[in-house]
Amino acid sequence: MDISGKTVFVTGAASGLGAQTARALVEAGACAAIFDRDAEKGEAIAAELGGRFFAVDVADAASAEAAVRAAVEALGAPAVLVNCAGIGTAARIVGRDGPMPLDAFSRVVNVNLVGSFNMMRLCAHAMSLAQPDANGQRGVIISTASVAAFDGQIGQAAYAASKGGIVSLTLPAAREFARFGIRVLAIAPGLFLTPLLAELPQEVQDGLAASIPNPARLGKPSEFAALVRAMVENDYLNGEVVRLDGALRMAAR
């Protein structure tokens, strides 16, 4: 799909992977709708890119419905949705203080998995009503999984489960949306230099980088964004989850 002149919706776009993805797609000629909970940062990214910001809680049905409706009214139906909104937590299922609180597990699953599905269902519907391009394509949906979906470590039960759900969602959604000309994909990134990791001491960053075979460094958000663009532009790539991790395979802890 040629992204030039198309509308793209990016969640979690106020910073990190989402912000860089929005930049890359705008550089390719797209118009970006910036979705995030952080209004200050989201507005700044939207202003930088000449797009529009829409406040949203992706895990809340009413919030997402209102945000998507407003974005469609303002910019038109999306040709691309990139789900980058997500959170993490580090907790053992059974720790020193007893079992992990159920709401801690539920919160991660609700934001990462339910939130991705929530935006997928709404944007796929909007895409299905749009006119197809010359190749019969109406849209592309890309969600963010994680290598933790395959190599989840001790303490990552909630995060790994939420990202594993995104992996499992990709193929059935791609099969269902084929009749609309909508492709569904996911990226499973490894260790990336996001704002969260950038706050860690340099020695900790170096230690994480040393675990990556090649290249032995943290991933760059621009590399994630480049893969998103390549996925959008390649019409034959569908129903697939692509690891982007420098051949990293995480140990148990």
Side-chain angles (χ1 to χ4, degrees):
M1 174 178 283
D2 182 1
I3 196 61
S4 181
K6 303 290 200 314
T7 296
V8 300
F9 289 7
V10 184
T11 72
S15 63
L17 300 180
Q20 195 59 42
T21 295
R23 290 188 182 101
L25 296 179
V26 168
E27 287 173 4
C31 175
I34 305 300
F35 291 83
D36 206 286
R37 295 186 68 175
D38 190 325
E40 182 177 355
K41 291 182 179 179
E43 291 281 11
I45 295 294
E48 172 194 335
L49 301 179
R52 291 281 299 275
F53 170 73
F54 300 91
V56 67
D57 176 354
V58 296
D60 180 81
S63 175
E65 288 165 8
V68 169
R69 182 169 57 251
V72 170
E73 289 174 354
L75 302 173
V80 176
L81 164 68
V82 186
N83 281 314
C84 290
I87 60 172
T89 188
R92 290 175 179 254
I93 300 170
V94 179
R96 294 177 179 176
D97 298 325
M100 178 182 184
L102 185 58
D103 60 353
F105 182 91
S106 298
R107 180 169 177 266
V108 174
V109 172
N110 281 337
V111 173
N112 295 353
L113 176 56
V114 176
S116 294
F117 175 82
N118 194 18
M119 294 297 294
M120 175 187 288
R121 72 184 180 94
L122 297 171
C123 290
H125 178 255
M127 290 174 181
S128 73
L129 302 177
Q131 290 297 313
D133 66 13
N135 297 315
Q137 298 299 301
R138 286 187 170 88
V140 184
I141 296 171
I142 302 172
S143 295
T144 304
S146 168
V147 295
F150 310 99
D151 309 330
Q153 297 180 300
I154 293 172
Q156 285 189 318
Y159 186 73
S162 69
K163 296 301 187 176
I166 289 173
V167 169
S168 296
L169 174 62
T170 301
L171 182 58
R175 287 171 163 170
E176 179 179 340
F177 297 160
R179 65 192 178 103
F180 299 125
I182 298 171
R183 295 184 288 120
V184 184
L185 297 151
I187 299 173
L191 298 173
F192 272 70
L193 189 57
T194 59
L196 182 63
L197 282 185
E199 293 176 359
L200 297 176
Q202 189 60 49
E203 60 269 23
V204 175
Q205 294 185 39
D206 293 343
L208 291 172
S211 68
I212 302 169
N214 183 36
R217 58 167 174 78
L218 299 176
K220 302 174 184 177
S222 60
E223 292 168 322
F224 178 93
L227 180 54
V228 169
R229 179 174 175 178
M231 285 178 157
V232 171
E233 293 177 341
N234 191 331
D235 281 351
Y236 206 63
L237 189 57
N238 192 16
E240 187 58 80
V241 179
V242 178
R243 290 183 68 133
L244 187 65
D245 58 16
L248 172 69
R249 297 298 182 269
M250 295 195 299
R253 66 181 72 197

